[in-house]
Each structure stands twice: as C-alpha cells, then as structure tokens.
C-alpha cells in the first residue's frame, strides 16, 4: 500500500522529519524510493530542470500527467504528489477539480497548488470531492513575475502576518500538508507551531516538519543559478545513489538545512 497524505500526520506527531524530493521519471523514482524518500513530488520545476524554460509557467497539465505516470511506474510505496500547473486550477474550482482528476487518474495520491486565502474555497471543493491537497506558500514560483523574481518572502511584519493567515486558511479549508518556500526560518517555525498539519520546507529552515529539494539542484546538475538553500549532496556522496541516501539521512537527522541554507 502506498503512503498517502494521512500517513504523514503520525510522523509529524512523533517529530520525525518527512523526506520529500522532486522526481520526474521512473528510474529516479525507483532509486529515490530505495534511498528512503517518502514523497516524490512531480513538481512543475520540471519546466526548468527538464524542459529548459526560465520559469515554471509554460508547464502544461499534459506534461505533469505524463511525468506522474512515469514516476508512478517506478515506485511502489512512496507517495506521488503532483503539481497543478499554472493555468490549470486558478480559473474556477470546477477547473481545479477536472485537472486534479487527471493527476489522480495518472496515479498521484495528492495534488499541490500554490496560494493561500484566495485558494481556500478551491481547496475545500477538492477535498470534499476526495482529492487530497498539499498547499504551497511563501515564494510561489507560478507568481514569479508578480513577486518580481525569486526572492525571500514574508520578511516584514505585514507579509509575515499575511503568510500566517494564509497558512491557517489552507489548513482550515482541508489541506493536509503545506510546502513553505524561501521564507525566514523564524516565520516557518511560527507557522509550523500554529498548524496541526505537517509543513515541508525548501529554504525555510530546520523547524518545518520535513524538507524538499529539487533533484537536479541537490545533485548539482542544473546549470542555472543555485539558491542559498541548496546543498550539493552529489559531491558529498560520490554517486547519485549515495548522494540521495545522504540527503535522506541528513533530513531525518535534522542536520540539513543548517544556518548556511537558511534566511
Ligand atoms: O515544483 C517544484 O519542484 C516545487 C518545489 C520547489 C517545492 O514546487
């Protein structure tokens, strides 16, 4: 039986960090699962690391369906979490449901979407119809042009309060997990303490319930600019398999991220 979003409440309750990593194909799905990764995120980051775009915006629902099918074929137990791409869920809650159906039919156990209070009604609509949802706050890459670039979010008091309100809203709407991207560690600690659902950080400090990185970043094979929160596990490990195993160990042992990876 595969892990599902409900599986991770227990890990959070016993303060055991949750290990998520992006994954886009069957071979890496098998390898990352064998290394102990618990959640394989078919992220729309594939637009950048697989397709060579500058942003995640050109990624289509068809792209995510295809990569979800590939990942599902490669792993037996890890939960497969699929991103709802830009334009596939913002128009209406009905559009979001139709898109989520395609991802679940492709084999995903849950879908991820970006946005807080503005997405609460959509999250409730999906959850009430059997679609498990992970929300995503902080730096939301689908809004990169609105945010003015890939910048740390939630730095001032007003922005931090909005983020905390957003986090409470998505939890109340039924989201069972929350990704926090590029926010100050103190804020992610505040959010994690305020919520009952697990938080998964990427550039959000050590006090989240788990961590996620983009596979090509942590293997240091993405040619683009590397963010401060990325650690190169490949040179440490010497092989892809060992690098991913070290990532899992570091997240579980809470030795990653350190202050050097934190805002
Ligand atoms: O698409 C993605 O890889 C993501 C992570 C950055 C969390 O959403």
């Amino acid at each position: 039986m595969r892990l599902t979003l409900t599986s991770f409440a227990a890990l959070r309750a016993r303060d055991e960090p949750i290990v998520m990593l992006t994954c886009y194909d069957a071979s890496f799905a098998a390898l990352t699962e064998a290394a102990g990764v618990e959640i394989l995120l078919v992220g729309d980051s594939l637009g950048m690391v697989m397709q060579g775009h500058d942003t995640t915006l050109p990624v289509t629902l068809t792209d995510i369906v295809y990569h979800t099918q590939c990942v599902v074929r490669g792993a037996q137990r890890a939960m497969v979490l699929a991103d709802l791409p830009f334009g596939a869920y913002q128009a209406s809650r009905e559009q979001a449901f139709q898109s989520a159906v395609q991802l679940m039919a492709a084999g995903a156990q849950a879908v991820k979407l970006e946005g807080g209070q503005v997405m609460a009604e959509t999250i409730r609509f999906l959850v009430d119809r059997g679609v498990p949802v992970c929300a995503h706050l902080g730096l939301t890459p689908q809004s990169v042009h609105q945010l003015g670039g890939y910048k740390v979010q939630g730095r001032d008091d007003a922005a931090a309060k909005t983020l905390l309100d957003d986090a409470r809203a998505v939890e109340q709407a039924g989201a069972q997990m929350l990704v926090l991207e590029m926010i100050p560690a103190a804020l992610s600690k505040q959010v994690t303490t305020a919520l009952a659902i697990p938080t998964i950080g990427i550039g959000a400090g050590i006090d989240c319930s788990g961590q996620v990185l983009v596979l090509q970043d942590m293997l240091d094979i993405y040619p683009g600019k590397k963010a401060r929160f990325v650690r190169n596990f490949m040179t440490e490990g010497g092989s892809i398999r060992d690098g991913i195993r070290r990532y899992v160990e570091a997240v579980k042992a809470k030795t990653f991220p350190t202050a050097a990876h934190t805002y």
Side-chain angles (χ1 to χ4, degrees):
M1 182 67 188
R2 273 190 198 271
L3 298 170
T4 63
L5 276 183
T6 53
S7 318
F8 297 101
L11 268 67
R12 179 185 166 148
R14 60 174 188 264
D15 199 24
E16 179 181 334
I18 298 161
V19 189
M20 186 191 289
L21 190 61
T22 68
C23 190
Y24 318 98
D25 68 41
S27 298
F28 270 105
L31 195 144
T32 52
E33 175 177 67
V37 176
E38 293 153 329
I39 305 177
L40 308 181
L41 170 62
V42 185
D44 59 2
S45 51
L46 71 85
M48 299 168 84
V49 299
M50 302 289 290
Q51 298 175 334
H53 296 296
D54 287 341
T55 70
T56 61
L57 301 178
V59 176
T60 66
L61 187 61
T62 307
D63 293 335
I64 303 275
V65 165
Y66 170 76
H67 286 280
T68 298
Q69 289 167 335
C70 296
V71 168
V72 166
R73 282 195 286 267
Q76 274 75 54
R77 184 162 183 274
M79 185 183 97
V80 179
L81 173 63
D83 257 348
L84 281 162
F86 183 61
Y89 63 99
Q90 292 93 342
S92 68
R93 47 196 206 163
E94 286 79 10
Q95 183 208 25
F97 180 69
Q98 295 304 340
S99 299
V101 165
Q102 289 200 48
L103 298 180
M104 304 287 287
Q109 282 73 59
V111 303
K112 178 166 78 60
L113 57 79
E114 297 181 7
Q117 294 164 73
V118 71
M119 294 311 301
E121 199 186 315
T122 298
I123 293 170
R124 172 52 60 201
F125 192 82
L126 296 180
V127 170
D128 284 350
R129 283 154 185 79
V131 180
V133 174
C134 171
H136 184 157
L137 294 174
L139 173 67
T140 44
Q142 292 173 13
S143 307
V144 62
H145 298 314
Q146 212 165 35
L147 299 174
Y150 297 101
K151 296 176 182 163
V152 181
Q153 302 297 307
R155 277 207 194 270
D156 61 51
D157 287 352
K161 184 187 176 309
T162 302
L163 195 138
L164 193 53
D165 290 346
D166 281 338
R168 289 198 171 104
V170 297
E171 177 177 65
Q172 213 165 8
Q176 286 175 277
M177 185 171 273
L178 173 60
V179 166
L180 295 171
E181 181 165 356
M182 269 180 97
I183 63 171
L187 177 57
S188 71
K189 183 174 184 175
Q190 211 185 340
V191 172
T192 302
T193 306
L195 301 191
I197 59 173
T199 58
I200 308 293
I202 173 162
I206 193 68
D207 290 305
C208 296
S209 325
Q211 301 292 329
V212 59
L213 282 177
V214 171
L215 177 68
Q216 280 78 353
D217 284 345
M218 55 83 78
L219 292 179
D220 198 25
I221 55 173
Y222 178 60
K225 191 166 170 264
K226 215 176 306 103
R228 174 194 171 115
F229 59 75
V230 175
R231 175 165 144 191
N232 179 350
F233 285 90
M234 179 66 187
T235 49
E236 290 177 29
S239 73
I240 290 174
R241 196 171 268 106
D242 202 37
I244 295 172
R245 195 180 51 75
R246 280 170 187 253
Y247 166 67
V248 173
E249 282 173 6
V251 172
K252 287 288 183 192
K254 298 192 189 178
T255 56
F256 173 79
T258 64
H261 310 111
T262 298
Y263 303 99

